[in-house]
Every structure is written in C-alpha cells, then in structure tokens.
Amino acid sequence: AQSVSQHNHHVILSEAASLELGCNYSYGGTVNLFWYVQYPGQHLQLLLKYFSGDPLVKGIKGFEAEFIKSKFSFNLRKPSVQWSDTAEYFCAVNARYSSASKIIFGSGTRLSIRP
Amino acid sequence: GAGVSQSPSNKVTEKGKDVELRCDPISGHTALYWYRQSLGQGLEFLIYFQGNSAPDKSGLPSDRFSAERTGGSVSTLTIQRTQQEDSAVYLCASSQRPGQANTEAFFGQGTRLTVV
C-alpha cells in the first residue's frame, strides 16, 4: 500500500527566505506525485504534479519540486518565499497502472511567513 | 458545473442526529473521493469510488459512516448518530482516468460539519 510522509508539521520563515518541504512516499512501482496547497479559507488546489519526464517540475507561483526516485522523495522548493505563501501544503501520491489506486495525501505542512 | 460542488457548505447538527453531505463531481470524472480534514490532522481518506467497481471503504472510521454514488455521478456521505468528534471539514474530490498519467484530483470547497 502507498503512504506519504511529510516530516515538517509547521515551518516558520521570514519573507525572502528559501523554502524546502520534505515529502517521502512508499511504493515500489511507478507513481504520480502531486503537491497541493490550501490558502487560508480556500479550497485545495494543485500546485504542481509529476507524471514522467524531467524530474524537476515547475508549478505555479515560483514553486518547483524534484522527484528523486532512488530516495522515494518529492520535495517542494521555492527560492524566495512571500507572505502570500502562507498556507498548508500537502504532498500526494497515486500508483500508476492501477485504477483501484486512490490518491493518498500526507499529513500536511503548515507554512507561516513572517512579513 | 465546471468544478466539484458540495452541499451544504456549512452544517450544524445536534449530537445523535443523522446528516447527509452531497458531492457533485466534475462531469466525466470516473473517480470520486471523500476525505475528512480536522484541525491539525491533515487529510484523512474516507472512501473512494471508481467507475462500477466496489468502493474502497477502508478509510471509514466507523459503521456510522456510509457513502453511495448513484449513476456514477453524485455521491452522498451519510453520518448516522453524529458525535462531537465527527466535527470536521468533509472534502470531496474527483478525477479522471485513475491509474494513468494526468490523474490529478479536483476538490470541492468542502462541507464544514459542526456537531453540538
């Protein structure tokens, strides 16, 4: 069965700091990987996704994530955060080639940016 | 509609009453998910419907919880004899072509359930 671990429960940064949020998954086969974001008072929306190809994927608002297959990781990064990045971030995984495979989410990382 | 629609957006109920939460997925999406989001608890998987297959109910926390999906479209999550610990935001999501590439889930705005 798939599972997702997000090691940072709450991250506090100052504006312009660099960000890296960790995500590890457990599944031996081919996977689809996602990062979702939930801004305060809003619904979950897709930040970026990886299906195949270049393991470095770029998403909206300057975010990027790198898929490292050997480490079963899909860490989210942003070189310089803004106050508006304050939100909760969720990593998710879905096994490829199985219609019975549901999308599993990590427990989330709350990001607080000090202005 | 263009997105996943959930109703009601807010529901306050008395402990012990039954509630029904509705989800209208994006047209053509074969997969439908229910998740629960409690304060500080992340996203808890509840149930997954995919086409005509038997639903994956492995996340339902107790037999007070049930869900159905009629005609492969609209889904209803029912909570019987609600308890205060059921208070949470219930999220519905849908996706197409599960198990293949491009299977991202699209979320509704959620139903905030408060049991008093």
Side-chain angles (χ1 to χ4, degrees):
Chain A
Q2 312 131 254
S3 66
V4 180
S5 296
Q6 291 183 245
H7 311 297
N8 311 105
H9 182 65
H10 187 193
V11 173
I12 303 173
L13 296 172
S14 298
E15 277 194 310
S18 64
L19 169 72
E20 180 159 3
L21 300 182
C23 172
N24 286 91
Y25 67 94
S26 65
Y27 182 72
T30 304
V31 292
N32 302 319
L33 294 158
F34 312 88
W35 275 97
Y36 281 81
V37 60
Q38 188 173 35
Y39 297 105
Q42 297 188 25
H43 66 277
L44 276 152
Q45 56 188 285
L46 186 71
L47 196 57
L48 49 77
K49 60 189 178 186
Y50 172 79
F51 298 123
S52 63
D54 189 344
L56 184 63
V57 293
K58 296 190 183 298
I60 59 172
K61 303 186 180 185
F63 285 91
E64 64 179 32
E66 185 175 13
F67 170 49
I68 302 179
K69 189 174 180 180
S70 61
K71 294 185 178 180
F72 298 90
S73 70
F74 190 56
N75 292 356
L76 181 71
R77 300 195 293 247
K78 185 170 184 179
S80 176
V81 295
Q82 301 172 306
W83 178 80
S84 58
D85 293 325
T86 295
E88 189 144 18
Y89 293 80
F90 294 91
C91 183
V93 66
N94 171 237
R96 194 86 65 83
Y97 311 125
S98 170
S99 62
S101 170
K102 54 189 177 282
I103 299 176
I104 297 296
F105 286 81
S107 56
T109 297
R110 185 157 62 101
L111 176 63
S112 300
I113 305 297
R114 292 188 290 250
Chain B
V4 177
S5 178
Q6 291 186 247
S7 61
S9 54
N10 279 284
K11 176 73 176 178
V12 180
T13 190
E14 291 181 353
K15 178 180 172 181
K17 295 285 178 78
D18 297 352
V19 294
E20 284 189 353
L21 311 181
R22 177 189 167 104
C23 173
D24 204 336
I26 293 172
S27 178
H29 280 192
T30 59
L32 187 147
Y33 307 81
W34 282 98
Y35 296 90
R36 179 167 70 176
Q37 187 175 28
S38 306
L39 193 61
Q41 296 298 313
L43 277 169
E44 178 187 4
F45 166 76
L46 297 177
I47 189 168
Y48 167 55
F49 295 92
Q50 163 46 24
N52 296 320
S53 302
D56 179 351
K57 303 180 183 180
S58 59
L60 294 178
S62 77
D63 59 7
R64 295 187 296 105
F65 287 73
S66 63
E68 62 177 23
R69 188 178 184 192
T70 53
S73 181
V74 172
S75 176
T76 303
L77 176 69
T78 301
I79 309 173
Q80 295 178 309
R81 305 181 303 281
T82 52
Q83 303 294 313
Q84 287 186 327
E85 61 262 29
D86 299 334
S87 296
V89 176
Y90 289 81
L91 295 170
C92 177
S94 70
S95 71
Q96 59 181 350
R97 300 195 303 274
Q100 301 182 31
N102 209 24
T103 60
E104 66 195 79
F106 295 82
F107 282 83
Q109 80 283 9
T111 293
R112 181 175 298 278
L113 175 66
T114 304
V115 182
V116 298

